[in-house]
Amino acid sequence: MSTFNAPKGTFDMLPPYSETFNRIRIQFGLELRDAGFQYIETPTFEETGLFLRGVGESTDIVTKEMYTFEDRGGRSLTLRPEGTAAVMRSVLQHNLYAGRLPVKLWYFGSYYRYERPQAGRTRQFTQVGAEAIGSDDPLVDVEMIALATEGFQKLGLRDFRLLLNSLGCRECRPVYRAKLQEFLRALDLDAETHARIEINPLRVLDDKRPEVQALIADAPLITDHLCEACAEHHTFVRGMLDELEIAYEDTPRLVRGLDYYNRTTFEFVHDGLGAQSAIGGGGRYDGLSEDLGGPDLPSVGWALGIGRTMLAMEAEGQTVETPADCDVYGVAIGDAARRAVFAMITQLRIEDIPADMAFGGKKLKGAMKAASQSGARYAIVVGDRDLTEGVAQIKDLSNGDQTPVPLDRVVTVLKEKLQ
Ligand code: HAM
């Protein structure tokens, strides 16, 4: 019990669950590194203007969900609601685009959105993300999708689906947008939805209400209105995914909650999660660099929600084995023995052998119980009599066999046994 609890919408990542969390981070980190991505970390908060400009002033994220505050110097700052705008800001600020393109970066961290908390939706959440900045090659879109798919599969996930769309470009989207608006304006919708038609009509396609869905069943679709270049790009992406046997579902009504997207957009959804089914999402954002004052740097990326990925693993019964706390556990009875065992444990750690010991003057029985709970393979047991004889007992915890070993040989013997 404590007087305080974690704030609403946040969570403590506790053991043994935290093991899965770390495993996901390590796995994606290795996979992305092997594909040429380098790690980047940007600040937890940025100038508010970055997100207004980057994410888009009409999005729910910016209008309703940002944690914005003024610091003591009177600056307006915002806890990052997503990673892409900040990564682009950093690439531009540090001229990372001066060398070989695309610049490939990956990141892992906490993001903040003031949303209504529910299963799979929290106000602080963790994403792993990857961005390829500075190439308009549709093959990079496919590379990104393939890496996310492979990552999920390596975690043992099977029941996820890839939803794919193209949002067109600055040429063809405005034409489509006007057509969609024309269609939507003629419908009998509530005032709020009519207001949305004027600001962000694509969002209306995402309306979950069945009565709205029925009304918009015949709405024009973006994929029927792509310009030649966008259509070619989209056809390439789909063809290459087919070639790689990566299954996708054409989802012409897929709308993402961020304004920077164009052309390829996608989402990974998992069917075992209920309402918050998106375990990851991403797409192309060819205009973001210029929106932030940079040069023409067409880019594509994704971010995956770690919390939802963990829920998906749980739904599919995928567990990560919790490794033993250590290989060797020290049990000392008496003060002099405690000092000797602690010295041995320290030496084992220097030799990269995971080791721990019973602290706090436990009696033999309690200390042996702690040894077996630790999952260690061997215990070093030392009593005062052993010390007088200059030995420690090395106990094999799998079968209880115990052998006396001279004190100065303990580390060497254990090293040999554990090889
Ligand atoms: P996003 O779709 O907003 O995209 O978020 C990506 C993923 O983060 C979601 O699919 C979901 O798994 C997780 N997520 C989002 N909000 C929450 C929440 N409140 N609670 C738990 N999990 C959440 C982006 O953030 C883009 N920056 C992705 C991107 C990168 N696009 C291009 N590059």
PDB file of all heavy atoms in Angstrom, residues 61 82-84 107 113 115 120-122 125 127 130-131 256 258 260-261 267 278-283 285 301-305 308, ligand 1:
ATOM      1  N   ILE A  61      -5.156  14.199 -32.239  1.00  0.00           N
ATOM      2  CA  ILE A  61      -3.959  14.227 -31.382  1.00  0.00           C
ATOM      3  C   ILE A  61      -3.656  15.664 -30.969  1.00  0.00           C
ATOM      4  O   ILE A  61      -3.479  15.963 -29.784  1.00  0.00           O
ATOM      5  CB  ILE A  61      -2.743  13.608 -32.122  1.00  0.00           C
ATOM      6  CG1 ILE A  61      -2.980  12.118 -32.346  1.00  0.00           C
ATOM      7  CG2 ILE A  61      -1.448  13.852 -31.355  1.00  0.00           C
ATOM      8  CD1 ILE A  61      -1.834  11.382 -33.022  1.00  0.00           C
ATOM      9  N   GLU A  82       3.988  11.342 -30.496  1.00  0.00           N
ATOM     10  CA  GLU A  82       4.440  10.359 -31.485  1.00  0.00           C
ATOM     11  C   GLU A  82       5.891  10.688 -31.826  1.00  0.00           C
ATOM     12  O   GLU A  82       6.420  11.715 -31.374  1.00  0.00           O
ATOM     13  CB  GLU A  82       3.559  10.409 -32.731  1.00  0.00           C
ATOM     14  CG  GLU A  82       3.569  11.730 -33.477  1.00  0.00           C
ATOM     15  CD  GLU A  82       4.478  11.696 -34.682  1.00  0.00           C
ATOM     16  OE1 GLU A  82       4.430  10.709 -35.428  1.00  0.00           O
ATOM     17  OE2 GLU A  82       5.253  12.654 -34.885  1.00  0.00           O
ATOM     18  N   GLY A  83       6.538   9.828 -32.632  1.00  0.00           N
ATOM     19  CA  GLY A  83       7.975   9.987 -32.806  1.00  0.00           C
ATOM     20  C   GLY A  83       8.446  10.589 -34.121  1.00  0.00           C
ATOM     21  O   GLY A  83       9.554  11.111 -34.201  1.00  0.00           O
ATOM     22  N   THR A  84       7.608  10.509 -35.161  1.00  0.00           N
ATOM     23  CA  THR A  84       8.091  10.842 -36.503  1.00  0.00           C
ATOM     24  C   THR A  84       8.497  12.307 -36.664  1.00  0.00           C
ATOM     25  O   THR A  84       9.555  12.608 -37.228  1.00  0.00           O
ATOM     26  CB  THR A  84       7.014  10.467 -37.541  1.00  0.00           C
ATOM     27  OG1 THR A  84       6.584   9.131 -37.257  1.00  0.00           O
ATOM     28  CG2 THR A  84       7.544  10.545 -38.951  1.00  0.00           C
ATOM     29  N   TYR A 107      13.913   3.814 -33.157  1.00  0.00           N
ATOM     30  CA  TYR A 107      13.821   4.381 -31.811  1.00  0.00           C
ATOM     31  C   TYR A 107      12.872   3.562 -30.959  1.00  0.00           C
ATOM     32  O   TYR A 107      12.104   2.732 -31.463  1.00  0.00           O
ATOM     33  CB  TYR A 107      13.347   5.841 -31.867  1.00  0.00           C
ATOM     34  CG  TYR A 107      12.110   6.064 -32.722  1.00  0.00           C
ATOM     35  CD1 TYR A 107      10.833   5.996 -32.174  1.00  0.00           C
ATOM     36  CD2 TYR A 107      12.228   6.336 -34.092  1.00  0.00           C
ATOM     37  CE1 TYR A 107       9.700   6.188 -32.960  1.00  0.00           C
ATOM     38  CE2 TYR A 107      11.101   6.524 -34.884  1.00  0.00           C
ATOM     39  CZ  TYR A 107       9.845   6.448 -34.312  1.00  0.00           C
ATOM     40  OH  TYR A 107       8.737   6.622 -35.102  1.00  0.00           O
ATOM     41  N   ARG A 113      -0.455  10.622 -24.873  1.00  0.00           N
ATOM     42  CA  ARG A 113      -1.673  11.173 -25.478  1.00  0.00           C
ATOM     43  C   ARG A 113      -2.768  11.151 -24.431  1.00  0.00           C
ATOM     44  O   ARG A 113      -2.983  10.109 -23.790  1.00  0.00           O
ATOM     45  CB  ARG A 113      -2.124  10.340 -26.700  1.00  0.00           C
ATOM     46  CG  ARG A 113      -1.131  10.379 -27.845  1.00  0.00           C
ATOM     47  CD  ARG A 113      -1.598   9.583 -29.054  1.00  0.00           C
ATOM     48  NE  ARG A 113      -0.488   9.381 -29.974  1.00  0.00           N
ATOM     49  CZ  ARG A 113      -0.524   8.611 -31.063  1.00  0.00           C
ATOM     50  NH1 ARG A 113      -1.634   7.980 -31.383  1.00  0.00           N
ATOM     51  NH2 ARG A 113       0.532   8.479 -31.831  1.00  0.00           N
ATOM     52  N   GLU A 115      -5.840  10.397 -23.859  1.00  0.00           N
ATOM     53  CA  GLU A 115      -6.978   9.679 -24.419  1.00  0.00           C
ATOM     54  C   GLU A 115      -7.777   9.067 -23.280  1.00  0.00           C
ATOM     55  O   GLU A 115      -7.313   8.991 -22.145  1.00  0.00           O
ATOM     56  CB  GLU A 115      -6.477   8.549 -25.327  1.00  0.00           C
ATOM     57  CG  GLU A 115      -5.739   9.064 -26.543  1.00  0.00           C
ATOM     58  CD  GLU A 115      -5.531   7.974 -27.585  1.00  0.00           C
ATOM     59  OE1 GLU A 115      -6.441   7.769 -28.387  1.00  0.00           O
ATOM     60  OE2 GLU A 115      -4.455   7.358 -27.589  1.00  0.00           O
ATOM     61  N   GLY A 120      -5.677  -1.631 -23.719  1.00  0.00           N
ATOM     62  CA  GLY A 120      -4.849  -1.374 -24.899  1.00  0.00           C
ATOM     63  C   GLY A 120      -4.699   0.095 -25.231  1.00  0.00           C
ATOM     64  O   GLY A 120      -4.048   0.439 -26.207  1.00  0.00           O
ATOM     65  N   ARG A 121      -5.325   0.964 -24.457  1.00  0.00           N
ATOM     66  CA  ARG A 121      -5.153   2.397 -24.718  1.00  0.00           C
ATOM     67  C   ARG A 121      -4.793   3.113 -23.419  1.00  0.00           C
ATOM     68  O   ARG A 121      -5.582   3.143 -22.480  1.00  0.00           O
ATOM     69  CB  ARG A 121      -6.425   2.996 -25.304  1.00  0.00           C
ATOM     70  CG  ARG A 121      -6.202   4.426 -25.772  1.00  0.00           C
ATOM     71  CD  ARG A 121      -7.260   4.872 -26.721  1.00  0.00           C
ATOM     72  NE  ARG A 121      -8.517   5.116 -26.034  1.00  0.00           N
ATOM     73  CZ  ARG A 121      -9.668   5.345 -26.645  1.00  0.00           C
ATOM     74  NH1 ARG A 121      -9.748   5.352 -27.938  1.00  0.00           N
ATOM     75  NH2 ARG A 121     -10.750   5.574 -25.948  1.00  0.00           N
ATOM     76  N   THR A 122      -3.603   3.650 -23.374  1.00  0.00           N
ATOM     77  CA  THR A 122      -3.120   4.304 -22.158  1.00  0.00           C
ATOM     78  C   THR A 122      -2.653   5.716 -22.502  1.00  0.00           C
ATOM     79  O   THR A 122      -2.522   6.058 -23.667  1.00  0.00           O
ATOM     80  CB  THR A 122      -1.942   3.491 -21.569  1.00  0.00           C
ATOM     81  OG1 THR A 122      -1.023   3.179 -22.618  1.00  0.00           O
ATOM     82  CG2 THR A 122      -2.418   2.195 -20.953  1.00  0.00           C
ATOM     83  N   PHE A 125       2.384   5.441 -23.378  1.00  0.00           N
ATOM     84  CA  PHE A 125       2.559   4.135 -24.002  1.00  0.00           C
ATOM     85  C   PHE A 125       3.924   4.092 -24.661  1.00  0.00           C
ATOM     86  O   PHE A 125       4.586   5.116 -24.822  1.00  0.00           O
ATOM     87  CB  PHE A 125       1.434   3.852 -25.021  1.00  0.00           C
ATOM     88  CG  PHE A 125       1.303   4.914 -26.076  1.00  0.00           C
ATOM     89  CD1 PHE A 125       1.927   4.760 -27.308  1.00  0.00           C
ATOM     90  CD2 PHE A 125       0.580   6.063 -25.834  1.00  0.00           C
ATOM     91  CE1 PHE A 125       1.814   5.739 -28.288  1.00  0.00           C
ATOM     92  CE2 PHE A 125       0.468   7.055 -26.804  1.00  0.00           C
ATOM     93  CZ  PHE A 125       1.089   6.892 -28.033  1.00  0.00           C
ATOM     94  N   GLN A 127       6.436   2.857 -27.827  1.00  0.00           N
ATOM     95  CA  GLN A 127       6.495   2.454 -29.239  1.00  0.00           C
ATOM     96  C   GLN A 127       7.921   2.063 -29.595  1.00  0.00           C
ATOM     97  O   GLN A 127       8.877   2.625 -29.069  1.00  0.00           O
ATOM     98  CB  GLN A 127       6.151   3.636 -30.162  1.00  0.00           C
ATOM     99  CG  GLN A 127       4.708   4.044 -30.180  1.00  0.00           C
ATOM    100  CD  GLN A 127       4.456   5.165 -31.198  1.00  0.00           C
ATOM    101  OE1 GLN A 127       5.387   5.828 -31.646  1.00  0.00           O
ATOM    102  NE2 GLN A 127       3.194   5.369 -31.542  1.00  0.00           N
ATOM    103  N   ALA A 130      10.526   2.955 -36.674  1.00  0.00           N
ATOM    104  CA  ALA A 130      11.605   2.965 -37.661  1.00  0.00           C
ATOM    105  C   ALA A 130      11.239   3.944 -38.762  1.00  0.00           C
ATOM    106  O   ALA A 130      10.080   4.009 -39.172  1.00  0.00           O
ATOM    107  CB  ALA A 130      11.799   1.565 -38.241  1.00  0.00           C
ATOM    108  N   GLU A 131      12.219   4.711 -39.214  1.00  0.00           N
ATOM    109  CA  GLU A 131      11.972   5.702 -40.261  1.00  0.00           C
ATOM    110  C   GLU A 131      13.087   5.602 -41.297  1.00  0.00           C
ATOM    111  O   GLU A 131      14.263   5.488 -40.941  1.00  0.00           O
ATOM    112  CB  GLU A 131      11.965   7.135 -39.683  1.00  0.00           C
ATOM    113  CG  GLU A 131      11.189   7.340 -38.371  1.00  0.00           C
ATOM    114  CD  GLU A 131       9.671   7.333 -38.538  1.00  0.00           C
ATOM    115  OE1 GLU A 131       9.183   7.255 -39.686  1.00  0.00           O
ATOM    116  OE2 GLU A 131       8.972   7.380 -37.502  1.00  0.00           O
ATOM    117  N   ARG A 256      -5.455   7.328 -41.321  1.00  0.00           N
ATOM    118  CA  ARG A 256      -4.550   7.377 -40.182  1.00  0.00           C
ATOM    119  C   ARG A 256      -4.778   8.679 -39.417  1.00  0.00           C
ATOM    120  O   ARG A 256      -5.245   9.661 -39.981  1.00  0.00           O
ATOM    121  CB  ARG A 256      -3.103   7.254 -40.660  1.00  0.00           C
ATOM    122  CG  ARG A 256      -2.859   6.030 -41.544  1.00  0.00           C
ATOM    123  CD  ARG A 256      -2.334   4.849 -40.782  1.00  0.00           C
ATOM    124  NE  ARG A 256      -1.144   5.181 -40.059  1.00  0.00           N
ATOM    125  CZ  ARG A 256      -1.017   4.976 -38.740  1.00  0.00           C
ATOM    126  NH1 ARG A 256      -1.984   4.460 -38.037  1.00  0.00           N
ATOM    127  NH2 ARG A 256       0.108   5.295 -38.142  1.00  0.00           N
ATOM    128  N   LEU A 258      -2.871  10.932 -38.350  1.00  0.00           N
ATOM    129  CA  LEU A 258      -1.853  11.976 -38.443  1.00  0.00           C
ATOM    130  C   LEU A 258      -1.890  12.537 -39.856  1.00  0.00           C
ATOM    131  O   LEU A 258      -2.103  11.807 -40.818  1.00  0.00           O
ATOM    132  CB  LEU A 258      -0.463  11.394 -38.148  1.00  0.00           C
ATOM    133  CG  LEU A 258      -0.360  10.655 -36.798  1.00  0.00           C
ATOM    134  CD1 LEU A 258      -0.239   9.159 -36.994  1.00  0.00           C
ATOM    135  CD2 LEU A 258       0.807  11.171 -35.989  1.00  0.00           C
ATOM    136  N   TYR A 260       0.433  13.904 -41.792  1.00  0.00           N
ATOM    137  CA  TYR A 260       1.590  13.986 -42.693  1.00  0.00           C
ATOM    138  C   TYR A 260       1.633  12.917 -43.780  1.00  0.00           C
ATOM    139  O   TYR A 260       2.497  12.940 -44.640  1.00  0.00           O
ATOM    140  CB  TYR A 260       2.912  13.989 -41.923  1.00  0.00           C
ATOM    141  CG  TYR A 260       3.100  12.960 -40.824  1.00  0.00           C
ATOM    142  CD1 TYR A 260       3.070  11.601 -41.074  1.00  0.00           C
ATOM    143  CD2 TYR A 260       3.340  13.386 -39.515  1.00  0.00           C
ATOM    144  CE1 TYR A 260       3.267  10.681 -40.064  1.00  0.00           C
ATOM    145  CE2 TYR A 260       3.540  12.470 -38.494  1.00  0.00           C
ATOM    146  CZ  TYR A 260       3.502  11.120 -38.774  1.00  0.00           C
ATOM    147  OH  TYR A 260       3.705  10.222 -37.769  1.00  0.00           O
ATOM    148  N   TYR A 261       0.704  11.966 -43.753  1.00  0.00           N
ATOM    149  CA  TYR A 261       0.816  10.840 -44.690  1.00  0.00           C
ATOM    150  C   TYR A 261       0.446  11.177 -46.129  1.00  0.00           C
ATOM    151  O   TYR A 261      -0.406  12.021 -46.391  1.00  0.00           O
ATOM    152  CB  TYR A 261      -0.063   9.685 -44.223  1.00  0.00           C
ATOM    153  CG  TYR A 261       0.441   9.027 -42.966  1.00  0.00           C
ATOM    154  CD1 TYR A 261      -0.296   9.053 -41.805  1.00  0.00           C
ATOM    155  CD2 TYR A 261       1.676   8.384 -42.955  1.00  0.00           C
ATOM    156  CE1 TYR A 261       0.171   8.447 -40.644  1.00  0.00           C
ATOM    157  CE2 TYR A 261       2.150   7.784 -41.799  1.00  0.00           C
ATOM    158  CZ  TYR A 261       1.400   7.816 -40.648  1.00  0.00           C
ATOM    159  OH  TYR A 261       1.861   7.220 -39.521  1.00  0.00           O
ATOM    160  N   GLU A 267      -1.669  -0.359 -41.636  1.00  0.00           N
ATOM    161  CA  GLU A 267      -1.870  -0.609 -40.220  1.00  0.00           C
ATOM    162  C   GLU A 267      -1.822  -2.116 -40.000  1.00  0.00           C
ATOM    163  O   GLU A 267      -2.287  -2.878 -40.847  1.00  0.00           O
ATOM    164  CB  GLU A 267      -3.238  -0.051 -39.792  1.00  0.00           C
ATOM    165  CG  GLU A 267      -3.167   0.711 -38.486  1.00  0.00           C
ATOM    166  CD  GLU A 267      -4.317   1.695 -38.322  1.00  0.00           C
ATOM    167  OE1 GLU A 267      -5.455   1.228 -38.197  1.00  0.00           O
ATOM    168  OE2 GLU A 267      -4.062   2.903 -38.314  1.00  0.00           O
ATOM    169  N   ALA A 278      -5.232  -1.967 -33.307  1.00  0.00           N
ATOM    170  CA  ALA A 278      -4.038  -1.622 -34.096  1.00  0.00           C
ATOM    171  C   ALA A 278      -2.781  -1.855 -33.258  1.00  0.00           C
ATOM    172  O   ALA A 278      -2.569  -1.205 -32.240  1.00  0.00           O
ATOM    173  CB  ALA A 278      -4.106  -0.174 -34.551  1.00  0.00           C
ATOM    174  N   ILE A 279      -1.974  -2.814 -33.697  1.00  0.00           N
ATOM    175  CA  ILE A 279      -0.723  -3.055 -32.966  1.00  0.00           C
ATOM    176  C   ILE A 279       0.420  -2.245 -33.580  1.00  0.00           C
ATOM    177  O   ILE A 279       1.494  -2.150 -33.018  1.00  0.00           O
ATOM    178  CB  ILE A 279      -0.360  -4.562 -32.896  1.00  0.00           C
ATOM    179  CG1 ILE A 279      -0.394  -5.219 -34.281  1.00  0.00           C
ATOM    180  CG2 ILE A 279      -1.314  -5.286 -31.960  1.00  0.00           C
ATOM    181  CD1 ILE A 279       0.068  -6.670 -34.280  1.00  0.00           C
ATOM    182  N   GLY A 280       0.159  -1.642 -34.734  1.00  0.00           N
ATOM    183  CA  GLY A 280       1.193  -0.792 -35.337  1.00  0.00           C
ATOM    184  C   GLY A 280       0.647  -0.116 -36.573  1.00  0.00           C
ATOM    185  O   GLY A 280      -0.382  -0.521 -37.112  1.00  0.00           O
ATOM    186  N   GLY A 281       1.346   0.935 -36.988  1.00  0.00           N
ATOM    187  CA  GLY A 281       0.878   1.620 -38.185  1.00  0.00           C
ATOM    188  C   GLY A 281       1.953   2.529 -38.730  1.00  0.00           C
ATOM    189  O   GLY A 281       2.930   2.853 -38.043  1.00  0.00           O
ATOM    190  N   GLY A 282       1.776   2.921 -39.977  1.00  0.00           N
ATOM    191  CA  GLY A 282       2.761   3.827 -40.548  1.00  0.00           C
ATOM    192  C   GLY A 282       2.434   4.164 -41.981  1.00  0.00           C
ATOM    193  O   GLY A 282       1.313   3.947 -42.442  1.00  0.00           O
ATOM    194  N   GLY A 283       3.438   4.678 -42.668  1.00  0.00           N
ATOM    195  CA  GLY A 283       3.232   5.040 -44.060  1.00  0.00           C
ATOM    196  C   GLY A 283       4.252   6.051 -44.526  1.00  0.00           C
ATOM    197  O   GLY A 283       5.224   6.360 -43.829  1.00  0.00           O
ATOM    198  N   TYR A 285       5.508   9.779 -45.754  1.00  0.00           N
ATOM    199  CA  TYR A 285       5.259  11.183 -45.387  1.00  0.00           C
ATOM    200  C   TYR A 285       6.245  12.053 -46.171  1.00  0.00           C
ATOM    201  O   TYR A 285       7.151  12.644 -45.614  1.00  0.00           O
ATOM    202  CB  TYR A 285       5.360  11.386 -43.865  1.00  0.00           C
ATOM    203  CG  TYR A 285       6.575  10.768 -43.202  1.00  0.00           C
ATOM    204  CD1 TYR A 285       7.705  11.522 -42.937  1.00  0.00           C
ATOM    205  CD2 TYR A 285       6.592   9.429 -42.843  1.00  0.00           C
ATOM    206  CE1 TYR A 285       8.821  10.967 -42.339  1.00  0.00           C
ATOM    207  CE2 TYR A 285       7.708   8.858 -42.250  1.00  0.00           C
ATOM    208  CZ  TYR A 285       8.810   9.630 -42.000  1.00  0.00           C
ATOM    209  OH  TYR A 285       9.926   9.067 -41.413  1.00  0.00           O
ATOM    210  N   GLY A 301       7.843   5.262 -42.799  1.00  0.00           N
ATOM    211  CA  GLY A 301       8.190   4.663 -41.503  1.00  0.00           C
ATOM    212  C   GLY A 301       6.994   4.041 -40.825  1.00  0.00           C
ATOM    213  O   GLY A 301       5.886   4.048 -41.362  1.00  0.00           O
ATOM    214  N   TRP A 302       7.231   3.490 -39.654  1.00  0.00           N
ATOM    215  CA  TRP A 302       6.146   2.933 -38.846  1.00  0.00           C
ATOM    216  C   TRP A 302       6.480   3.016 -37.378  1.00  0.00           C
ATOM    217  O   TRP A 302       7.639   3.229 -36.994  1.00  0.00           O
ATOM    218  CB  TRP A 302       5.805   1.490 -39.206  1.00  0.00           C
ATOM    219  CG  TRP A 302       6.913   0.466 -39.353  1.00  0.00           C
ATOM    220  CD1 TRP A 302       7.261  -0.170 -40.509  1.00  0.00           C
ATOM    221  CD2 TRP A 302       7.786  -0.101 -38.335  1.00  0.00           C
ATOM    222  NE1 TRP A 302       8.278  -1.063 -40.279  1.00  0.00           N
ATOM    223  CE2 TRP A 302       8.613  -1.052 -38.964  1.00  0.00           C
ATOM    224  CE3 TRP A 302       7.951   0.110 -36.957  1.00  0.00           C
ATOM    225  CZ2 TRP A 302       9.593  -1.791 -38.277  1.00  0.00           C
ATOM    226  CZ3 TRP A 302       8.920  -0.614 -36.268  1.00  0.00           C
ATOM    227  CH2 TRP A 302       9.722  -1.547 -36.927  1.00  0.00           C
ATOM    228  N   ALA A 303       5.447   2.832 -36.568  1.00  0.00           N
ATOM    229  CA  ALA A 303       5.652   2.670 -35.129  1.00  0.00           C
ATOM    230  C   ALA A 303       4.720   1.565 -34.655  1.00  0.00           C
ATOM    231  O   ALA A 303       3.582   1.467 -35.101  1.00  0.00           O
ATOM    232  CB  ALA A 303       5.365   3.965 -34.388  1.00  0.00           C
ATOM    233  N   LEU A 304       5.241   0.726 -33.762  1.00  0.00           N
ATOM    234  CA  LEU A 304       4.454  -0.382 -33.231  1.00  0.00           C
ATOM    235  C   LEU A 304       4.242  -0.153 -31.742  1.00  0.00           C
ATOM    236  O   LEU A 304       5.156   0.291 -31.036  1.00  0.00           O
ATOM    237  CB  LEU A 304       5.188  -1.711 -33.448  1.00  0.00           C
ATOM    238  CG  LEU A 304       5.852  -1.909 -34.827  1.00  0.00           C
ATOM    239  CD1 LEU A 304       6.564  -3.247 -34.893  1.00  0.00           C
ATOM    240  CD2 LEU A 304       4.808  -1.804 -35.938  1.00  0.00           C
ATOM    241  N   GLY A 305       3.044  -0.422 -31.279  1.00  0.00           N
ATOM    242  CA  GLY A 305       2.738  -0.237 -29.856  1.00  0.00           C
ATOM    243  C   GLY A 305       3.195  -1.458 -29.070  1.00  0.00           C
ATOM    244  O   GLY A 305       2.727  -2.564 -29.325  1.00  0.00           O
ATOM    245  N   ARG A 308       0.300  -3.052 -26.778  1.00  0.00           N
ATOM    246  CA  ARG A 308      -0.674  -3.844 -27.551  1.00  0.00           C
ATOM    247  C   ARG A 308      -0.034  -5.099 -28.131  1.00  0.00           C
ATOM    248  O   ARG A 308      -0.673  -6.136 -28.252  1.00  0.00           O
ATOM    249  CB  ARG A 308      -1.270  -2.999 -28.674  1.00  0.00           C
ATOM    250  CG  ARG A 308      -2.185  -1.938 -28.116  1.00  0.00           C
ATOM    251  CD  ARG A 308      -2.945  -1.235 -29.203  1.00  0.00           C
ATOM    252  NE  ARG A 308      -3.448   0.021 -28.706  1.00  0.00           N
ATOM    253  CZ  ARG A 308      -3.964   0.962 -29.459  1.00  0.00           C
ATOM    254  NH1 ARG A 308      -4.049   0.786 -30.762  1.00  0.00           N
ATOM    255  NH2 ARG A 308      -4.414   2.074 -28.924  1.00  0.00           N
TER     256      ARG A 308
HETATM  257  P1  HAM B   1       0.078   5.724 -34.559  1.00  0.00           P
HETATM  258  O1  HAM B   1      -0.792   4.841 -35.405  1.00  0.00           O
HETATM  259  O2  HAM B   1      -0.541   6.911 -33.970  1.00  0.00           O
HETATM  260  O3  HAM B   1       1.306   6.106 -35.476  1.00  0.00           O
HETATM  261  O4  HAM B   1       0.708   4.847 -33.395  1.00  0.00           O
HETATM  262  C1  HAM B   1       1.388   3.649 -33.669  1.00  0.00           C
HETATM  263  C2  HAM B   1       0.991   2.565 -32.677  1.00  0.00           C
HETATM  264  O5  HAM B   1       1.186   3.018 -31.331  1.00  0.00           O
HETATM  265  C3  HAM B   1      -0.477   2.184 -32.710  1.00  0.00           C
HETATM  266  O6  HAM B   1      -0.740   1.270 -33.757  1.00  0.00           O
HETATM  267  C4  HAM B   1      -0.667   1.563 -31.345  1.00  0.00           C
HETATM  268  O7  HAM B   1      -0.225   0.231 -31.343  1.00  0.00           O
HETATM  269  C5  HAM B   1       0.253   2.400 -30.474  1.00  0.00           C
HETATM  270  N1  HAM B   1      -0.531   3.412 -29.736  1.00  0.00           N
HETATM  271  C6  HAM B   1      -0.948   4.618 -30.186  1.00  0.00           C
HETATM  272  N2  HAM B   1      -1.652   5.271 -29.235  1.00  0.00           N
HETATM  273  C7  HAM B   1      -1.691   4.447 -28.157  1.00  0.00           C
HETATM  274  C8  HAM B   1      -2.267   4.552 -26.841  1.00  0.00           C
HETATM  275  N3  HAM B   1      -2.929   5.621 -26.433  1.00  0.00           N
HETATM  276  N4  HAM B   1      -2.107   3.502 -25.998  1.00  0.00           N
HETATM  277  C9  HAM B   1      -1.419   2.397 -26.379  1.00  0.00           C
HETATM  278  N5  HAM B   1      -0.853   2.255 -27.596  1.00  0.00           N
HETATM  279  C10 HAM B   1      -0.978   3.268 -28.486  1.00  0.00           C
HETATM  280  C11 HAM B   1       2.344   6.911 -35.082  1.00  0.00           C
HETATM  281  O8  HAM B   1       2.555   7.228 -33.950  1.00  0.00           O
HETATM  282  C12 HAM B   1       3.257   7.283 -36.223  1.00  0.00           C
HETATM  283  N6  HAM B   1       4.348   8.128 -35.681  1.00  0.00           N
HETATM  284  C13 HAM B   1       3.816   6.031 -36.890  1.00  0.00           C
HETATM  285  C14 HAM B   1       4.743   6.356 -38.017  1.00  0.00           C
HETATM  286  C15 HAM B   1       6.097   6.325 -37.988  1.00  0.00           C
HETATM  287  N7  HAM B   1       4.399   6.762 -39.212  1.00  0.00           N
HETATM  288  C16 HAM B   1       5.477   6.989 -39.943  1.00  0.00           C
HETATM  289  N8  HAM B   1       6.530   6.729 -39.204  1.00  0.00           N
END
